[in-house]
Amino acid sequence: MTGAETGADRLARVATRDPVVAAVRRHAFIALLDHRPMTATELADVASLAPAEVDRALARLRAGGALETDSEGRVIGAHGLTRRRTRHRIVTSQRTRNTWCALDAIGIPVALRFDATVHTECPTCTSEITLHVRDGEVLTQTDAPTLWLPGGACGHVMDDFCAAANLFCTTKHLELWRHDAGRPPGQPMRLEDAARHGRHVWADVADCW
Ligand SMILES: [Zn+2]
């Protein structure tokens, strides 16, 4: 499936319609790519925005489950990247970065066109799944895993979307999970379609690498 708009997409679209929110999210993400979580003051500085405007944008993103901060007020999670340990990782020769979900782990290196190994875990059998991203494409094998793209309402990105946006080692394991989860709204997505979706979601930061 391509061109599918999820609840998370709708929420992101609302957030990015506000240019201040979009700028704060973009700068927070770029800083996290470099493992430099920024405070509101630092973000205001790099984005050339008034501190009160940055505070408003951070509060809005946080309320929508699209931002994490630590006890010192530094942004440790934004636009899919997080300093928190998760089941999803993007590994390059220089760094390991954690992400909120499997779509983030695939979409970020695809959209930013950096070569990486993506590590995630099948929720059904807990086996590790490894993918390779080269030149903005996911290298797929014949027995390629399948992504679940959650649908339905999304008031909180991390809880309502990311928690279920997982990669399954086989379509059988995806079906087992769907059955056990009570057939939630959403759709299976092939890796090449997940890559295409990722290029769209991270288009705003595609040139920052
Ligand atoms: Zn599995």
Side-chain angles (χ1 to χ4, degrees):
M1 240 355 263
T2 57
E5 189 180 74
T6 66
D9 292 335
R10 282 191 291 278
L11 193 71
R13 198 153 44 77
V14 169
T16 52
R17 201 178 289 149
D18 181 326
V20 175
V21 173
V24 167
R25 186 175 73 151
R26 193 170 66 246
H27 284 285
F29 175 89
I30 293 167
L32 283 173
L33 263 184
D34 263 349
H35 284 204
R36 291 181 295 112
M38 284 189 175
T39 61
T41 309
E42 290 169 323
L43 285 167
D45 202 29
V46 295
S48 303
L49 291 165
E53 285 283 87
V54 172
D55 286 342
R56 181 183 63 81
L58 292 175
R60 187 159 168 192
L61 287 164
R62 196 184 296 110
L67 190 100
E68 296 175 284
T69 48
D70 67 10
S71 57
E72 290 157 44
R74 299 179 306 170
V75 177
I76 57 159
H79 212 352
L81 287 178
T82 179
R83 299 277 286 163
R84 195 163 40 83
R85 193 178 170 86
T86 67
R87 291 176 291 113
H88 320 282
R89 301 189 305 285
I90 302 167
V91 180
T92 67
S93 52
Q94 287 96 27
R95 292 186 196 281
T96 295
R97 300 174 178 87
N98 303 325
T99 66
W100 289 335
C101 70
L103 177 65
D104 302 327
I106 296 166
I108 291 169
V110 164
L112 276 62
R113 299 184 68 87
F114 65 82
D115 294 349
T117 306
V118 172
H119 297 269
T120 184
E121 189 183 288
C122 173
T124 302
C125 67
T126 71
S127 65
E128 171 146 330
I129 302 171
T130 303
L131 304 171
H132 300 283
V133 175
R134 294 284 177 277
D135 301 322
E137 303 285 347
V138 187
L139 306 183
T140 56
Q141 319 86 1
T142 45
D143 55 346
T146 304
L147 182 83
W148 178 250
L149 191 74
C154 180
H156 191 283
V157 171
M158 281 180 280
D159 291 351
D160 297 341
F161 180 84
C162 294
N166 288 305
L167 200 61
F168 291 81
C169 62
T170 60
T171 49
K172 186 176 176 210
H173 280 188
L174 170 58
E175 284 309 315
L176 285 169
W177 171 82
R178 283 175 84 176
H179 178 266
D180 289 348
R183 305 228 147 251
Q187 63 194 30
M189 195 174 237
R190 295 179 309 163
L191 285 178
E192 52 265 48
D193 294 329
R196 195 172 300 129
H197 194 65
R199 283 182 207 107
H200 167 69
V201 174
W202 286 275
D204 64 326
V205 286
D207 297 330
C208 75
W209 180 251

